[in-house]
Amino acid sequence: MAEIVENSTGAMEIAEAVDELDRCAVEEVELTVPKTDDPTLPVLTFRMWVLGLAACIILSFVNQFFWYRQMPLTITGISAQIAVVPLGHLMARVVPNKKYLEGSRWEFNMNPGPFNVKEHVMITIFANSGAGTVYATHILSAIKLYYKRSLPFLPAFLIMITTQFLGFGWAGLFRKHLVEPGEMWWPSNLVQVSLFSALHEKEKKKKGGMTRIQFFIIVLITSFAYYILPGYLFTMVTSISWVCWLSPKSVLANQLGSGEQGLGIGAIGIDWATIGSYLGSPLASPIFATVNVTIGFVIIMYVATPICYWLNLYHAKTYPIFSSGLFMGNGSSYDVLSIIDNKFHLDRDIYAKTGPIHMSTFFAVTYGLGFATLSATIVHVSLFNGRDLWKQTRGAFNRNKKMDIHTRIMKKNYREVPMWWFLVILVLNIALIVFISVYYNATVQLPWWAVLLACAIAVFFTPLIGVIMATTNQAPGLNVITEYVIGYMYPERPVANMCFKVYGYISMTQALTFIQDFKLGLYMKIPPRSMYMAQVVGTLVAVLVYTGTAWWLMVDIPHLCDKSLLPDDSQWTCPMDRVFFDASVIWGLVGPRRMFGDLGEYSAINWFFLVGAITPFFVWLATKAFPAQKWISNIHFPVILGATSMMPPAMAVNFTSWCVVAFIFGHFVFKYKREWWTKYNYVLSGGLDAGTAFMTILIFLALGRNGIGVAWWGNADDSTNCGLASCPTAKGVITQGCPVF
């Protein structure tokens, strides 16, 4: 009898050990991602290619089309993920079930059976390629629209395509570090995983409840119908700045309350586009990341900015409290074109006569926070993840290492993508970029050695930012380091600065996009080689469409991005491109030495590097001193310091609205309604995305492009309700529409 009990206990221990081995390291993944796979499902089908390419082309066109507008709309891959479902099932019914090239290596069937989830994932990967913006279009906009210079099409296209494909090389180098470990869970992917489950699982409806697909349809219809209010009939709800209403003629009240031009105290947006536009879906944010972002925003917006402004640091009161503009010393806008010579370099003599460029104090502090985020990221990842990264590097090809359950399934069922596939693309891209820098040097201004330096920066920072993105869903913006380095080494050349930033930083962000898709493929058990092919083809198609659309709009729309020549009610004001252009002036044309160095007014901003390097040490020491307090390790200074990296163009109302929603769902719903959260949270996010996107497109096609609007007080924007928020408060500064103090 004792022997039976002993054997039973041993069997239970073995079962528990096996169960623990199969358990995901992250609870949200354990609750959301299925641990099953059917390798027999067809993936590279005719309907996958048709719907995938169509989704990529449409999203690329629409996103670039809206990119230049005052409120830039980004249609996510989730919209296409929903829209293709009925089309996929329709093609499964009507396309003939016929084999072609039968008996050969290239045999294929036009209709191999029912529309399945793996085809759906591949279509979504194509859609994601179209949904992700081609950042290098900013270079086109800056040169042609702001600097008013000519730019040949071929070098512009080559810059765009090499930027996107360079990221493949970095993705290949670090996929074992950022995809295979279960701790690298990429929170935003769970939205799409949950949505795939809702759209394909045959779920039994509980009495009094609803299935996930029923819930999704209700959310989709509701958000679609609701968005007619913030999108057309009652646009004021995008930013309700009620503090301004209390004293509309008070500059102070306007500065405090404006959600778009001020500190945004009490400002809220009852609009999903406002909530999720810059920080992503708040429903996909882990609570510890939400807390870090909120702390960073509050400290910077409600502590640092008011103190700096009312102490008149860097003559803050001469300029708007919140602005990305460039100013003269008297508060007027700076005429950038007047300080450029005929070689597209800085004209030192005219610059000396005109005087230095000034920024709003908030904009200057934002750059300082960029410095701090850079050093904090290096120190934080070294202290908290350095040992794991080193172990993963040493054991990258050790097949006996402990693997996540999903990684084990993938390695058992499918062949990996060989490393040389990535290396070929990487080497060819670097060679092509060097060719561009030599042959088109007069256009791009970038020397060949700068290309290699940009690649070195990208290689160094990809795993560091990747760890943070994979665990917090927030990627600290480190574009500052590329601008700073090339600005010092090769100053007074704005195009060189822009190109260096694109190759050094944006190629890294593109790599993280590819890696995130790799992780989605791992969760959904997509053959890695099929995934690789979809990413390559989708990226190529997206670059072609983005480039063509941008070029067409620049030719077709008079005075695109030029607010001085556009009508007052024009939507083609290009806020994102304006920030990019201003950065190229600060870091490229004028250079960091004249702004932040020994010749500049803002040299003290460099102390932020030290601040960022020190702060993670306090958290690390606290975790060692109080090991039982697990919450301490969730204090994430790269996220805190980089919380406002998107400001501007992001505004206070985007953050206040996002933080409220993220807290409600990430803490209260997750803690007290866990079953509801598990079943519906990510489906809710997908439904809100899709409904808002569809209604936005419908409003533009049916009403916006024909100039049909509704004029009433409910459609007054923030600049009307809080019109004094951007006024200077220094004595004697004269600005149109503002009181003189």
Side-chain angles (χ1 to χ4, degrees):
M1 184 69 177
E3 184 177 346
I4 295 174
V5 172
E6 185 177 332
N7 290 340
S8 176
T9 302
M12 289 176 62
E13 290 176 352
I14 292 172
E16 289 175 0
V18 171
D19 185 62
E20 185 64 28
L21 188 65
D22 288 347
R23 186 172 181 82
C24 297
V26 178
E27 185 175 7
E28 287 89 341
V29 178
E30 176 72 20
L31 293 170
T32 306
V33 182
K35 300 176 184 177
T36 56
D37 180 33
D38 182 0
T40 64
L41 290 177
V43 177
L44 300 177
T45 62
F46 171 75
R47 56 182 172 246
M48 185 281 295
W49 283 108
V50 172
L51 296 177
L53 288 172
C56 181
I57 292 170
I58 293 171
L59 261 65
S60 299
F61 173 80
V62 170
N63 283 337
Q64 185 58 48
F65 185 82
F66 282 100
W67 187 251
Y68 292 116
R69 294 173 64 80
Q70 174 67 26
M71 295 298 286
L73 168 70
T74 299
I75 308 296
T76 65
I78 290 177
S79 304
Q81 184 179 355
I82 307 307
V84 300
V85 174
L87 298 176
H89 289 301
L90 177 64
M91 292 184 72
R93 285 195 294 268
V94 302
V95 173
N97 183 359
K98 183 179 179 181
K99 291 183 178 180
Y100 294 85
L101 304 176
E102 194 167 357
S104 71
R105 179 183 177 183
W106 307 104
E107 177 182 327
F108 71 96
N109 192 330
M110 293 280 286
N111 190 353
F115 182 61
N116 68 73
V117 67
K118 294 195 177 186
E119 292 175 280
H120 195 183
V121 175
M122 290 287 283
I123 293 169
T124 304
I125 296 301
F126 272 105
N128 287 345
S129 298
T133 58
V134 179
Y135 193 85
T137 54
H138 283 312
I139 298 178
L140 277 68
S141 304
I143 295 175
K144 291 175 69 68
L145 303 177
Y146 286 105
Y147 285 114
K148 311 293 185 182
R149 300 278 174 149
S150 63
L151 178 64
F153 179 81
L154 184 57
F157 175 72
L158 291 177
I159 290 171
M160 294 179 72
I161 199 167
T162 50
T163 303
Q164 299 301 99
F165 276 96
L166 188 59
F168 267 111
W170 316 141
L173 292 177
F174 298 110
R175 56 194 167 128
K176 288 190 177 293
H177 304 77
L178 299 174
V179 177
E180 293 184 1
E183 295 79 5
M184 303 293 115
W185 60 293
W186 299 90
S188 62
N189 275 340
L190 300 189
V191 176
Q192 291 190 312
V193 171
S194 183
L195 203 48
F196 283 125
S197 299
L199 296 171
H200 289 273
E201 284 183 359
K202 294 181 179 179
E203 185 181 356
K204 292 184 178 179
K205 178 182 176 182
K206 293 183 179 180
K207 187 176 180 180
M210 66 180 73
T211 64
R212 283 188 287 189
I213 188 62
Q214 290 173 327
F215 181 77
F216 173 79
I217 292 172
I218 290 173
V219 173
L220 172 67
I221 294 172
T222 304
S223 64
F224 177 82
Y226 172 77
Y227 194 72
I228 190 67
L229 295 177
Y232 185 71
L233 293 177
F234 196 24
T235 57
M236 185 185 292
V237 299
T238 61
S239 178
I240 302 175
S241 304
W242 58 269
V243 173
C244 296
W245 306 343
L246 301 179
S247 185
K249 294 184 178 180
S250 167
V251 174
L252 177 61
N254 279 242
Q255 289 176 328
L256 294 175
S258 175
E260 296 183 5
Q261 304 172 87
L263 303 183
I265 295 176
I268 197 75
I270 313 175
D271 167 21
W272 185 248
T274 299
I275 294 168
S277 56
Y278 290 100
L279 293 169
S281 172
L283 277 62
S285 179
I287 186 61
F288 82 92
T290 300
V291 171
N292 281 280
V293 169
T294 304
I295 291 173
F297 170 70
V298 169
I299 291 174
I300 294 156
M301 204 67 181
Y302 299 142
V303 179
T305 299
I307 290 175
C308 291
Y309 187 82
W310 279 289
L311 289 179
N312 204 26
L313 187 66
Y314 295 125
H315 309 289
K317 295 182 179 181
T318 306
Y319 317 110
I321 192 171
F322 179 85
S323 172
S324 65
L326 305 179
F327 302 96
M328 302 278 287
N330 62 5
S332 61
S333 295
Y334 203 98
D335 183 5
V336 172
L337 299 185
S338 68
I339 60 173
I340 304 174
D341 65 17
N342 56 7
K343 294 182 179 180
F344 210 164
H345 297 168
L346 177 70
D347 191 319
R348 298 182 183 182
D349 293 334
I350 296 181
Y351 180 73
K353 293 177 183 178
T354 307
I357 287 177
H358 298 269
M359 301 180 284
S360 70
T361 301
F362 178 84
F363 202 20
V365 171
T366 298
Y367 276 125
L369 291 168
F371 299 166
T373 304
L374 169 68
S375 53
T377 297
I378 297 172
V379 175
H380 178 94
V381 175
S382 299
L383 291 174
F384 290 93
N385 305 96
R387 182 177 298 177
D388 292 337
L389 283 173
W390 177 245
K391 285 181 179 178
Q392 291 162 16
T393 301
R394 293 182 61 186
F397 301 100
N398 179 7
R399 297 185 180 277
N400 295 320
K401 66 180 183 290
K402 181 181 177 181
M403 290 186 291
D404 176 70
I405 174 64
H406 302 290
T407 303
R408 294 204 307 272
I409 293 173
M410 291 293 288
K411 288 187 177 293
K412 176 183 176 182
N413 292 342
Y414 306 105
R415 291 186 298 169
E416 290 187 13
V417 178
M419 178 62 76
W420 69 266
W421 288 16
F422 293 99
L423 294 179
V424 166
I425 288 181
L426 177 62
V427 172
L428 290 176
N429 258 276
I430 294 176
L432 182 55
I433 297 168
V434 171
F435 167 77
I436 296 169
S437 69
V438 174
Y439 191 79
Y440 292 107
N441 188 262
T443 299
V444 301
Q445 301 181 338
L446 195 68
W448 65 268
W449 54 263
V451 174
L452 303 182
L453 180 59
C455 291
I457 291 175
V459 168
F460 179 77
F461 281 107
T462 296
L464 303 182
I465 304 300
V467 167
I468 295 173
M469 182 67 177
T471 54
T472 70
N473 205 39
Q474 299 295 326
L478 297 182
N479 52 309
V480 169
I481 184 60
T482 52
E483 296 168 320
Y484 204 111
V485 169
I486 196 64
Y488 256 109
M489 298 180 70
Y490 207 56
E492 303 177 6
R493 295 167 175 84
V495 182
N497 195 280
M498 292 186 285
C499 291
F500 187 86
K501 175 168 67 172
V502 164
Y503 288 126
Y505 169 60
I506 302 305
S507 68
M508 181 205 73
T509 62
Q510 186 67 16
L512 297 183
T513 300
F514 293 138
I515 290 172
Q516 185 169 346
D517 280 348
F518 289 154
K519 191 69 176 186
L520 177 62
L522 183 141
Y523 283 153
M524 299 305 300
K525 315 304 181 294
I526 304 299
R529 298 188 177 201
S530 299
M531 171 71 73
Y532 175 90
M533 182 187 61
Q535 288 180 312
V536 171
V537 176
T539 300
L540 178 61
V541 172
V543 170
L544 291 169
V545 177
Y546 269 100
T547 307
T549 305
W551 209 269
W552 165 62
L553 290 173
M554 290 178 192
V555 173
D556 196 63
I557 298 176
H559 313 304
L560 178 65
C561 301
D562 192 339
K563 295 176 75 171
S564 64
L565 297 176
L566 286 168
D568 292 338
D569 60 348
S570 175
Q571 290 293 311
W572 302 101
T573 56
C574 317
M576 303 288 283
D577 290 283
R578 179 72 206 193
V579 172
F580 186 88
F581 165 72
D582 289 342
S584 75
V585 174
I586 293 169
W587 299 101
L589 182 62
V590 177
R593 189 182 177 196
R594 291 187 179 88
M595 295 295 295
F596 303 101
D598 58 322
L599 301 179
E601 181 183 1
Y602 303 97
S603 57
I605 296 292
N606 289 291
W607 286 102
F608 277 89
F609 280 115
L610 180 61
V611 172
I614 292 173
T615 48
F617 274 106
F618 292 119
V619 180
W620 183 75
L621 291 173
T623 59
K624 300 300 181 184
F626 307 100
Q629 303 298 320
K630 301 298 183 183
W631 63 269
I632 296 176
S633 61
N634 287 331
I635 300 175
H636 215 290
F637 269 105
V639 176
I640 292 174
L641 295 170
T644 56
S645 62
M646 287 300 294
M647 299 179 74
M651 299 163 288
V653 67
N654 300 118
F655 278 78
T656 54
S657 307
W658 185 91
C659 291
V660 169
V661 176
F663 263 110
I664 291 173
F665 286 89
H667 175 66
F668 294 106
V669 178
F670 182 77
K671 184 176 181 179
Y672 299 109
K673 296 290 183 180
R674 181 68 60 88
E675 184 178 353
W676 187 98
W677 186 95
T678 301
K679 189 173 184 180
Y680 297 125
N681 181 69
Y682 296 121
V683 179
L684 174 62
S685 179
L688 290 169
D689 275 351
T692 301
F694 293 152
M695 176 54 80
T696 304
I697 295 173
L698 179 61
I699 290 172
F700 173 76
L701 294 177
L703 302 168
R705 66 195 302 248
N706 297 316
I708 303 173
V710 180
W712 72 299
W713 68 266
N715 280 348
D717 60 14
D718 192 83
S719 63
T720 301
N721 294 322
C722 302
L724 302 181
S726 60
C727 289
T729 57
K731 292 182 179 180
V733 178
I734 301 174
T735 301
Q736 186 177 1
C738 295
V740 179
F741 291 85

